[in-house]
Amino acid sequence: MDGERIQKYWSNEIDSLITTYKQFELLIPDDEKDCSAHKGEDGRFVEDLISEYLKKYLPKSIEILTGFILRPAVKTGLKSKTRKDETDSHSTQLDIIIYNSYEYPIFQRFGNSVIVPPEGVLGIISVKKHLNDYDIKKESIALYRASKLCRTLDAKGDFLRGPFLALVSAKSMIDKSKTENHDWIFKKLKESYNITPKPYFDDLLGYIGSLDEWSIFKRRPNKTSKEADYIYFNHKDYESHLGLQYLLTGILSVFYDSSRNNVNRPGFTAFPSGRDADKFLGKIEILGLRK
């Protein structure tokens, strides 16, 4: 397998993204007082930047939106009453919602801010300008809850593959002197999912990363697996493509999954042949692949 051209292409694209971010930091330098006074706006520029890059490469039927997921307790399909014992429920505000608006409707829209039903959600991304210690548990739990809202059925009554979940930052501020940063992050991630009942594989974060620095990725298991493996990559000089490729690969893997689509997934991303992870971080117990 080759794919070297694709790897170089994605590396150039992510380098361009990071350069744009650094230009923003040059013009609007980080000030601690300003940061705390405007926490809600902290990652807005990075959020817009990532959204624009995803829009460039994803199929036109996929929209990059922001807002809420609303799961109404109503009949689905022609006659399914699987939600008859539920109540209407919704997510917290989500930074990026990747949505199949070609096949699914939207409750409410104002620009790119929306309220959408769960069936069309292909991915959910939490974006941070700077990734801090408290973000790992807080965001993984919020994304887990949003993922649970998206447990839906296809026309045959089978479970759809859940949305791809990611936590992305332009820069990591996590700095642990007594342990490796990636080991500490995985420990916090494992604590977040130490719940009863155990989560399904689809409910776990698929990617955590600082785009041009490092990536933590969730390996896809076989259908009978009861554990999810997490691996770590420290980006080398020629590997800035990894972060963007993992995001695109995760979203497209849901979009082209047989549970959602009968179109064959194209060859669009290319990872280095023989490039092993820098570290196997560990396993998280799961109930199974999905529900």
Side-chain angles (χ1 to χ4, degrees):
M1 300 290 284
D2 188 4
E4 187 174 337
R5 296 182 190 180
I6 301 297
Q7 293 166 30
K8 288 181 178 178
Y9 174 75
W10 293 127
S11 287
N12 289 339
E13 289 298 288
I14 201 68
D15 288 345
S16 176
L17 185 155
I18 295 300
T19 298
T20 304
Y21 164 72
K22 287 179 179 178
Q23 292 287 69
F24 173 78
E25 278 206 321
L26 179 67
L27 295 172
I28 311 294
D30 190 9
D31 180 89
E32 287 301 320
K33 291 182 180 179
D34 184 57
C35 255
S36 59
H38 301 283
K39 275 189 175 179
E41 300 296 318
D42 223 18
R44 187 63 56 85
F45 180 79
V46 180
E47 182 182 321
D48 289 343
L49 195 56
I50 292 172
S51 294
E52 287 304 311
Y53 268 76
L54 292 177
K55 285 177 187 177
K56 286 173 64 176
Y57 307 116
L58 293 173
K60 294 303 179 184
S61 60
I62 299 176
E63 286 198 84
I64 310 301
L65 306 166
T66 185
F68 301 85
I69 298 169
L70 169 62
R71 180 186 177 94
V74 297
K75 182 176 71 173
T76 60
L78 291 176
K79 56 182 179 180
S80 173
K81 296 183 179 180
T82 55
R83 301 182 191 177
K84 66 179 181 179
D85 296 325
E86 298 183 16
T87 57
D88 296 347
S89 53
H90 66 274
S91 69
T92 56
Q93 185 166 4
L94 304 168
D95 293 336
I96 295 178
I97 300 173
I98 297 98
Y99 193 76
N100 183 354
S101 59
Y102 180 78
E103 294 184 317
Y104 294 96
I106 291 174
F107 286 119
Q108 188 176 61
R109 179 198 290 267
F110 185 77
N112 284 330
S113 297
V114 295
I115 300 173
V116 296
E119 285 83 357
V121 178
L122 302 171
I124 309 169
I125 302 176
S126 179
V127 180
K128 300 294 177 185
K129 179 182 176 183
H130 294 156
L131 186 67
N132 291 294
D133 293 9
Y134 54 81
D135 290 323
I136 305 302
K137 291 187 74 170
K138 178 185 175 184
E139 298 303 324
S140 59
I141 290 171
L143 290 169
Y144 165 71
R145 290 171 178 165
S147 176
K148 286 177 67 179
L149 296 175
C150 297
R151 293 177 181 174
T152 55
L153 306 176
D154 63 15
K156 297 179 181 179
D158 296 323
F159 287 104
L160 289 177
R161 179 168 173 173
F164 175 72
L165 308 176
L167 173 56
V168 181
S169 70
K171 184 184 295 184
S172 176
M173 305 301 286
I174 296 174
D175 186 15
K176 301 300 171 186
S177 58
K178 294 183 179 180
T179 185
E180 295 285 356
N181 291 339
H182 47 269
D183 289 326
W184 183 89
I185 291 170
F186 178 71
K187 179 183 176 183
K188 291 300 175 184
L189 194 64
K190 198 167 184 178
E191 289 174 4
S192 303
Y193 298 128
N194 185 23
I195 54 178
T196 303
K198 292 182 176 65
Y200 287 92
F201 178 83
D202 285 0
D203 296 325
L204 304 184
L205 269 173
Y207 175 83
I208 312 173
S210 177
L211 281 176
D212 68 338
E213 298 178 277
W214 53 267
S215 292
I216 293 174
F217 191 70
K218 178 182 67 174
R219 278 179 175 159
R220 188 138 197 91
N222 59 49
K223 292 183 178 180
T224 60
S225 179
K226 298 296 183 182
E227 293 177 316
D229 292 348
Y230 279 85
I231 53 178
Y232 165 76
F233 294 90
N234 183 37
H235 299 177
K236 296 172 180 157
D237 290 341
Y238 54 87
E239 290 184 332
S240 55
H241 61 83
L242 288 174
L244 182 58
Q245 285 212 99
Y246 277 128
L247 291 180
L248 290 171
T249 297
I251 295 165
L252 291 175
S253 65
V254 177
F255 181 65
Y256 290 109
D257 190 78
S258 59
S259 70
R260 289 180 173 267
N261 201 312
N262 60 5
V263 178
N264 194 32
R265 176 179 165 185
F268 195 66
T269 54
F271 294 95
S273 179
R275 166 62 160 105
D276 199 5
D278 290 302
K279 189 168 186 178
F280 172 74
L281 295 180
K283 300 175 182 287
I284 293 178
E285 291 187 49
I286 56 175
L287 282 175
L289 197 59
R290 70 174 60 93
K291 180 177 179 180

